[in-house]
């Protein structure tokens, strides 16, 4: 079964709305989680690293005031797209490393459409 | 320079034939891991196979095998006896020891299996 739960799976909303996406590790603790964005027919691009109990680390070019990340517990990270606009429409997907040689566990992704 | 390069944007393969998806990488870190993920049209990322930089043998998982050529910095995925359900996007990714667990993805290859 899924070890990382991400929801909602799909969001359609009006421009200017803020959207919160949750990423939960179900049977393990994750001090670090990653948030990726994927535009159609493109690869996954890392947006930020979410760190439990401290500030997120953003990749170059990603607006931290636009994409708010909170990692308040060892099993939950949230990404809030503030005042979303049509250009923010994309597929957002989170992952959590399991440590060692284990692969990262990915959520099922959130398809965000801003009208 | 690109850390992960996948030179085949798309491939068409007859059902039941074997297929090789190319991946080359670039890193100065002596300790790294290479991953292959499958992404069907529904969007979820499905882990297929992992190869560590110090692994002596090529990784295998069922119909998937990884042709790891360290000197050439290549990690090609081989799928044997392809099936219609193998049609999807395939991403090669690298995790570097100094990269704090984060993955760098290639641009992907869209594989289509022809009946």
């Amino acid at each position: 079964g899924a070890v990382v739960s991400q929801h909602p799976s799909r969001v359609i909303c009006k421009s200017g709305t803020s959207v919160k996406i949750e990423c939960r590790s179900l049977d393990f603790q994750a001090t670090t989680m990653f948030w990726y964005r994927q535009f159609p027919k493109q690869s996954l691009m890392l947006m930020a690293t979410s760190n439990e109990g401290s500030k997120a680390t953003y990749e170059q070019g990603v607006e931290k005031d636009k994409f708010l990340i909170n990692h308040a517990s060892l099993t939950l990270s949230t990404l809030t797209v503030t005042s979303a606009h049509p250009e923010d429409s994309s597929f957002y997907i989170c992952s959590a490393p399991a440590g060692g040689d284990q692969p990262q566990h990915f959520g099922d992704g959130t398809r965000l459409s801003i009208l | 320079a690109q850390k992960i390069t996948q030179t085949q944007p798309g491939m068409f393969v007859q059902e039941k034939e074997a297929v090789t998806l190319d991946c080359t990488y670039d890193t100065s870190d002596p300790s790294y891991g290479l991953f292959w993920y499958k992404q069907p049209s529904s969007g979820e990322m499905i882990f297929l196979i992992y190869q560590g930089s110090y692994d002596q043998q090529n990784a295998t998982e069922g119909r998937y095998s990884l042709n790891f050529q360290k000197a050439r910095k290549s990690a090609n995925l081989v799928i044997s006896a392809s099936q219609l359900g193998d049609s999807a996007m395939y991403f090669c990714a690298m995790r570097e020891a100094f990269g704090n667990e984060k993955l760098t993805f290639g641009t992907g290859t869209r594989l289509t299996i022809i009946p």
Side-chain angles (χ1 to χ4, degrees):
Chain A
V3 293
V4 172
S5 173
Q6 181 176 346
H7 74 91
S9 58
R10 177 141 184 117
V11 179
I12 302 173
C13 58
K14 293 181 178 180
S15 185
T17 305
S18 291
V19 178
K20 180 186 280 188
I21 303 169
E22 291 189 351
C23 182
R24 292 181 186 274
S25 58
L26 297 182
D27 55 2
F28 67 101
Q29 294 181 334
T31 56
T32 301
M33 292 186 180
F34 300 100
W35 287 96
Y36 296 86
R37 178 169 55 186
Q38 185 181 29
F39 290 110
K41 300 186 189 298
Q42 295 188 24
S43 186
L44 279 72
M45 297 301 294
L46 181 66
M47 298 175 66
T49 303
S50 174
N51 304 299
E52 188 270 334
S54 64
K55 291 183 180 180
T57 306
Y58 290 82
E59 296 299 302
Q60 193 172 11
V62 177
E63 301 175 61
K64 60 182 180 181
D65 294 331
K66 174 76 170 176
F67 299 100
L68 300 178
I69 290 173
N70 185 278
H71 196 149
S73 77
L74 288 170
T75 59
L76 174 64
S77 175
T78 61
L79 168 68
T80 301
V81 184
T82 61
S83 187
H85 292 285
E87 59 266 28
D88 298 322
S89 298
S90 188
F91 186 66
Y92 294 85
I93 191 165
C94 68
S95 74
D101 292 343
Q102 297 301 309
Q104 286 192 16
H105 299 291
F106 282 85
D108 286 343
T110 298
R111 222 166 276 283
L112 177 63
S113 299
I114 308 298
L115 306 177
Chain B
Q2 292 290 328
K3 286 196 173 231
I4 294 285
T5 302
Q6 294 180 254
T7 58
Q8 306 152 311
M11 288 191 69
F12 291 84
V13 172
Q14 204 74 39
E15 188 180 7
K16 299 181 184 177
E17 291 189 351
V19 56
T20 297
L21 305 182
D22 296 340
C23 174
T24 58
Y25 60 92
D26 183 30
T27 181
S28 57
D29 192 340
S31 178
Y32 53 89
L34 297 158
F35 301 80
W36 277 92
Y37 285 87
K38 172 184 177 181
Q39 186 181 42
S41 57
S42 50
E44 71 268 30
M45 295 292 284
I46 301 168
F47 165 73
L48 296 179
I49 198 165
Y50 166 80
Q51 181 85 43
S53 58
Y54 293 118
D55 293 343
Q56 296 295 316
Q57 294 189 335
N58 287 344
T60 60
E61 289 285 350
R63 294 188 298 114
Y64 305 108
S65 60
L66 202 152
N67 184 1
F68 182 45
Q69 298 190 40
K70 194 170 183 177
R72 294 184 179 183
K73 293 189 174 179
S74 74
N76 299 340
L77 176 70
V78 180
I79 306 174
S80 63
S82 58
Q83 302 170 357
L84 295 179
D86 294 334
S87 295
M89 281 291 290
Y90 288 80
F91 291 99
C92 180
M94 178 171 65
R95 180 179 67 200
E96 296 165 290
F98 56 67
N100 195 27
E101 299 279 353
K102 62 184 179 183
L103 292 177
T104 303
F105 285 87
T107 51
T109 296
R110 179 167 296 281
L111 176 65
T112 303
I113 307 301
I114 305 167

